[in-house]
Amino acid sequence: MKAITLDSFGEADVLQLTQVPDPEVRPHDLLVRNRAAGVNRADLNQRRGAYGRADFGDSSLMGLEIAGEVVAMGSEVRGFAIGDRVMGIVGGGSYAELARFDWRMAMRVPEGMDIVEAGAIPEVFVTAHEALVHLGRLQPGEKVLIHAAAGGVGSAAVQLAHAVGAKVFATAGAAKHEEVRQLGADVLIDHRSQDFAEVLQAETGDAGVDVVIDFIGAPYLERNVRALATGGRLVQVGLMGGAAGAALPLDRVLFRHLQIMGTVMKSRTAEVKQAMTRRFAEAWLGHFADGRLKPVIDSRYPLAQAAEAHRRMESGLNVGKIMLLP
């Protein structure tokens, strides 16, 4: 099969389309003919060498999410058949024509949904649900601040928060505000020209928000904590701005009874990932079938143009998911 490989770590040009052996099907595996693969920031980190030559359980090849048709199954698979349209999170291997993954990580593609749109669901929506609902415990009528709201996970979180019935504050570049507003954001904040802490203070009367979903890290930590209402929850999903030099106002944490949590998908065990997938599917999969939720796709690239897809993500211009079409 054809797949994206890299002989060395570095810039996007190291990604090359080559011929590699087909994956071997293990007892619990679905083998899927990939029709769509989402590009994630973890892929950029892998390309740059952050994980070394790690094997993440399914493949040492790049790529964490897929959508396609089942072409083969292991002896222990239950509830699926050859030809089924499925989507899911994989432990590597989606930048390829074929990928294998445990059937307990698979979700059926909603009837009538475009297969490429389905490929834009698994990683970002499962992550957003875990951060916002499972850990953040967002409730109807509460207020939430979502940073990087035009990105893959951010745009998914805005939709989920709106569907929950929360008031959504979102940070994004001004050029992306209208698109984020259409996803369900109530108050848009330009992270380049506005201080989100000042906006929240004015909008909430210094009462703060109940949940903050953050992807930036150290540069935002102190302001995130000070933006939380009594009993508020900060869920750290990424460290795009780095981890060093963060200032934590412990007095605020103590006297406002705050909680700070972290979550990351890649390092979770298979059992935890399966539970995360089930929680998301049970809560939200029906919302895609009837159009209440919709994956946001920024752009689509043939598999051979994986380097261009990475450059698009590195540019920071995307709104929603960047997709590869094997």
Side-chain angles (χ1 to χ4, degrees):
M1 68 173 182
K2 293 179 181 178
I4 294 295
T5 60
L6 59 165
D7 293 331
S8 60
F9 302 120
E11 298 302 315
D13 289 338
V14 302
L15 301 179
Q16 302 294 326
L17 186 67
T18 59
Q19 197 76 25
V20 301
D22 292 355
E24 294 184 6
V25 180
R26 301 164 299 192
H28 289 92
D29 278 341
L30 297 175
L31 184 66
V32 176
R33 171 65 175 90
N34 291 345
R35 301 298 181 186
V39 177
N40 292 281
R41 288 203 171 272
D43 303 341
L44 307 187
N45 294 336
Q46 184 175 356
R47 190 201 75 214
R48 295 165 182 156
Y51 314 125
R53 293 289 180 181
D55 186 315
F56 297 108
D58 293 321
S59 175
S60 60
L61 296 174
M62 193 174 293
L64 299 174
E65 60 186 334
I66 60 170
E69 299 93 21
V70 176
V71 296
M73 301 185 301
S75 60
E76 300 298 320
V77 173
R78 300 291 181 268
F80 290 95
I82 302 299
D84 282 351
R85 300 198 315 157
V86 297
M87 58 186 178
I89 296 165
V90 299
S94 70
Y95 283 29
E97 292 179 319
L98 297 169
R100 67 182 185 185
F101 71 127
D102 193 302
W103 68 273
R104 291 163 293 190
M105 293 292 294
M107 296 177 283
R108 295 186 184 279
V109 175
E111 192 69 29
M113 174 171 275
D114 175 74
I115 198 72
V116 178
E117 288 191 347
I121 292 174
E123 182 77 15
V124 294
F125 275 95
V126 171
T127 299
H129 170 79
E130 193 70 10
L132 196 69
V133 179
H134 184 66
L135 296 176
R137 306 187 306 282
L138 185 68
Q139 300 296 314
E142 289 192 323
K143 297 183 287 293
V144 59
L145 170 63
I146 299 170
H147 289 298
V153 179
S155 61
V158 169
Q159 289 192 67
L160 294 184
H162 177 73
V164 165
K167 182 173 183 177
V168 182
F169 297 82
T171 65
K176 304 176 181 180
H177 279 192
E178 186 52 38
E179 290 167 286
V180 178
R181 191 185 307 279
Q182 291 178 11
L183 298 177
D186 298 291
V187 179
L188 277 298
I189 304 167
D190 183 0
H191 66 89
R192 294 187 177 91
S193 65
Q194 295 176 286
D195 184 326
F196 68 84
E198 293 179 357
V199 174
L200 289 179
Q201 184 178 37
E203 290 281 343
T204 69
D206 203 28
V209 297
D210 301 286
V211 178
V212 174
I213 304 297
D214 182 50
F215 307 88
I216 308 303
Y220 280 12
L221 178 61
E222 182 173 4
R223 284 180 290 164
N224 282 337
V225 169
R226 294 193 183 281
L228 285 169
T230 299
R233 291 84 69 193
L234 166 61
V235 184
Q236 198 70 45
V237 186
L239 296 170
M240 292 166 58
L248 177 62
L250 284 172
D251 56 339
R252 193 80 164 195
V253 174
L254 182 66
F255 294 117
R256 286 212 171 186
H257 313 287
L258 306 180
Q259 297 178 53
I260 301 174
M261 295 160 277
T263 183
V264 64
M265 178 75 74
K266 183 179 284 291
S267 60
R268 300 281 193 155
T269 65
E271 292 75 17
V272 172
K273 289 180 181 179
Q274 291 164 18
M276 292 168 68
T277 300
R278 287 195 302 271
R279 285 194 288 267
F280 163 76
E282 290 169 2
W284 298 110
L285 210 51
H287 288 63
F288 291 94
D290 62 18
R292 285 176 288 172
L293 293 176
K294 186 175 177 63
V296 180
I297 294 180
D298 172 81
S299 48
R300 309 178 186 209
Y301 293 87
L303 183 62
Q305 294 179 17
E308 289 303 313
H310 276 219
R311 292 188 190 100
R312 174 68 179 174
M313 178 165 280
E314 288 170 328
S315 75
L317 297 175
N318 63 295
V319 177
K321 292 291 295 187
I322 299 166
M323 304 301 298
L324 291 175
L325 311 183

